[in-house]
Amino acid sequence: MSLLSTLFGDTTDPPLDPYWQRNPDLKYYRLLQISRRPQVLADKSGVFILWSQGAHGHWIYCAHAEDLEGTVEIVANHPEVITLESRHGLLFSWSPIRADLRDGVVAHLRATLRFALEDAALDDRLDLSAARLAAAEPVVVLPPG
């Protein structure tokens, strides 16, 4: 069985790490860092996740995008994200999940993690339909850790 078929196959298998991307120092990207240099995300697509780390760390937002370079700028300029960034410093990562599985990955992560930012207008701006997510078959993956 290949790694991809294991990753996206039978959901009775334990969830696998979808290789959340890190910076060259093998640390997760700071949102502020990557939003100032979004060219790191040029021509990249996939599922992304935003969170804070530390003693009171929490999950902030999760979605997917065809254009991660443009999307990180939209998310980084969201008023609530700006406030959370100034208070906590936020981390950002993405995984190049296949397009046909992205709704399922986001549906699973949103169903299993408590995200601080639930904004239908932001979802709409990113072309992420609530109805499409509700209809998606969850794809079980591990969040960044």
Side-chain angles (χ1 to χ4, degrees), residues 7 17 23 37 47 49 72 74 81 87 97 101 126-127:
L7 180 59
D17 186 347
N23 68 23
R37 294 184 301 139
V47 173
I49 193 164
V72 75
I74 293 168
V81 171
R87 286 187 202 154
I97 304 290
L101 298 172
L126 299 178
D127 194 30

Side-chain angles (χ1 to χ4, degrees), residues 2-59:
S2 74
L3 176 61
L4 287 179
S5 66
T6 301
L7 180 59
F8 300 115
D10 186 0
T11 59
T12 60
D13 291 338
L16 295 177
D17 186 347
Y19 301 105
W20 296 104
Q21 301 299 299
R22 297 172 187 247
N23 68 23
D25 296 328
L26 300 179
K27 296 180 180 179
Y28 289 112
Y29 287 91
R30 294 286 309 257
L31 177 63
L32 195 56
Q33 169 194 24
I34 203 157
S35 67
R36 289 184 177 161
R37 294 184 301 139
Q39 63 274 16
V40 170
L41 299 170
D43 301 318
K44 294 196 175 23
S45 61
V47 173
F48 69 91
I49 193 164
L50 185 62
W51 74 102
S52 67
Q53 202 171 38
H56 301 290
H58 52 281
W59 301 106

Side-chain angles (χ1 to χ4, degrees), residues 78-93:
H78 187 282
E80 193 169 340
V81 171
I82 291 169
T83 300
L84 290 166
E85 171 62 38
S86 68
R87 286 187 202 154
H88 305 289
L90 301 179
L91 300 175
F92 176 92
S93 189

